[in-house]
Amino acid sequence: MSGRRSRSRQSMSPSITDEQINDLMAKLQAVLPEARLGINHRVSAARVLQETCSYLRSLHREVDDLSERLSELLAMADISGAEAAIIRSLLM
Amino acid sequence: MTISNGDGDSAAKDGRRERKRKRRAEPSLVKWKTEGEQKTYSSKLIEALRRVRRSSATGAASAATDHSRSRAVREAADRALAAAARGRTRWSRAILCGRTLKRRVLPRAGRPKPVGPARAAERSKPPALKTKARVLGRLVPGCRKLPLPSLLEEVSDYIAALEMQVRAMSVIAEALSAVGGAPSPAQTEGPI
């Protein structure tokens, strides 16, 4: 096929257009939880980036808290074979 | 096959091209939301947690601080998450490579980027966006020097993966706190 256009080569142009930026920001906004930005389409790119950073930090914090909780639970009682089976059945 | 068959052939070609383009497009975010993916991740995580528990028990049991244990749990969770990504994203590969870039202080890290003399006209991104994008790049493992479009792809995938990680770990924590209420080992041999 002669029509092989590689997308990655296009994005390596020296300046990125405003339209591309808006497009990317819209995609990123779709990933963020709605409570952060609302369904407002007129959020600035800087705001989207900022909210993304703060959302990432809060996710990291949540994982850290859960790791702490899990390590405490692990310290209390090992996951024996029976318990692992119970947990797996709970997950199924 | 250069026989032009009219609409049928071109439609087939378009279909093939469409599929080719889709395959090279960004990895789908949907998989992080499926139950199957979360269950697979949860089982892998449980196995890793057992290993963590075992290694911290055979070592200096009393000296193992809570902080080092929770850090071990966090690293096990992140490594399992990166493995679930199957090497298709930068952040996952960076985590599996031991995150050496994040921990080691690179000699180049402190130096500000030299502004090219003739390139000023080409920089159409306002500096405010640049700074925020750089901050974002530091938050995602292995994505510091990425241009904005690739960075945002990595960020979306990373966020979706992290959300699954949080869901899975919450479920496991709930299950453990319900089941592991009795610390005495004798009770684990219960009727199952």
Side-chain angles (χ1 to χ4, degrees):
Chain A
M1 299 293 147
S2 55
R4 262 229 209 143
R5 263 174 288 122
S6 168
R7 260 220 235 147
S8 57
R9 241 170 265 147
Q10 271 185 9
S11 65
M12 294 239 263
S13 56
S15 70
I16 185 172
T17 66
D18 280 342
E19 194 182 321
Q20 275 179 291
I21 290 188
N22 288 335
D23 194 38
L24 293 169
M25 292 299 145
K27 270 195 250 175
L28 192 54
Q29 195 174 337
V31 179
L32 297 179
E34 271 177 17
R36 296 231 152 205
L37 293 168
I39 321 190
N40 190 1
H41 294 289
R42 276 164 280 136
V43 183
S44 71
R47 180 81 202 282
V48 172
L49 285 181
Q50 184 134 354
E51 286 303 322
T52 310
C53 288
S54 95
Y55 186 48
L56 259 188
R57 281 196 206 103
S58 80
L59 281 175
H60 280 163
R61 246 193 332 259
E62 249 190 289
V63 174
D64 275 333
D65 290 343
L66 281 168
S67 303
E68 248 187 79
R69 190 168 159 209
L70 277 178
S71 79
E72 283 171 22
L73 287 168
L74 280 181
M76 289 190 335
D78 185 11
I79 311 181
S80 69
E83 284 186 349
I86 298 176
I87 292 182
R88 247 177 245 124
S89 66
L90 282 174
L91 296 173
M92 290 306 160
Chain B
M1 291 216 289
T2 49
I3 302 171
S4 54
N5 221 354
D7 292 316
D9 202 11
S10 61
K13 270 204 205 144
D14 278 339
R16 248 174 293 151
R17 225 180 286 136
E18 194 61 46
R19 251 176 282 135
K20 267 195 179 165
R21 209 180 294 142
K22 271 202 184 139
R23 221 179 291 149
R24 234 180 290 137
E26 58 257 18
S28 163
L29 300 180
V30 175
K31 78 160 198 180
W32 293 117
K33 306 219 166 129
T34 63
E35 230 181 284
E37 190 68 45
Q38 190 174 326
K39 283 182 193 158
T40 312
Y41 174 69
S42 305
S43 345
K44 293 277 188 277
L45 180 53
I46 289 178
E47 288 173 27
L49 290 178
R50 295 178 75 178
R51 284 198 295 269
V52 167
R53 177 63 173 88
R54 240 173 298 165
S55 65
S56 75
T58 55
S62 52
T65 61
D66 296 322
H67 183 69
S68 67
R69 209 170 31 233
S70 74
R71 201 176 42 201
V73 169
R74 168 87 201 260
E75 285 183 4
D78 285 342
R79 248 175 282 141
L81 189 67
R86 290 178 190 84
R88 298 182 70 198
T89 50
R90 270 184 173 250
W91 64 262
S92 59
R93 291 194 292 267
I95 289 182
L96 291 175
C97 288
R99 289 210 248 182
T100 47
L101 288 178
K102 223 182 181 188
R103 267 189 260 142
R104 240 190 304 155
V105 177
L106 292 178
R108 281 181 278 148
R111 204 177 58 190
K113 220 163 61 154
V115 181
R119 294 266 179 99
E122 291 174 341
R123 213 141 286 167
S124 61
K125 260 188 285 190
L129 275 193
K130 275 271 199 187
T131 337
K132 295 203 191 317
R134 199 167 301 149
V135 171
L136 192 56
R138 278 206 298 265
L139 284 173
V140 184
C143 293
R144 278 177 197 238
K145 293 191 186 168
L146 238 46
L148 193 56
S150 326
L151 175 62
L152 295 191
E153 272 184 34
E154 292 283 326
V155 166
S156 332
D157 192 74
Y158 188 49
I159 285 184
L162 280 181
E163 288 171 343
M164 186 200 77
Q165 184 181 37
V166 166
R167 282 195 302 268
M169 287 174 83
S170 314
V171 167
I172 293 179
E174 289 300 313
L176 265 185
S177 56
V179 173
S184 63
Q187 288 202 337
T188 55
E189 309 269 342
I192 289 303

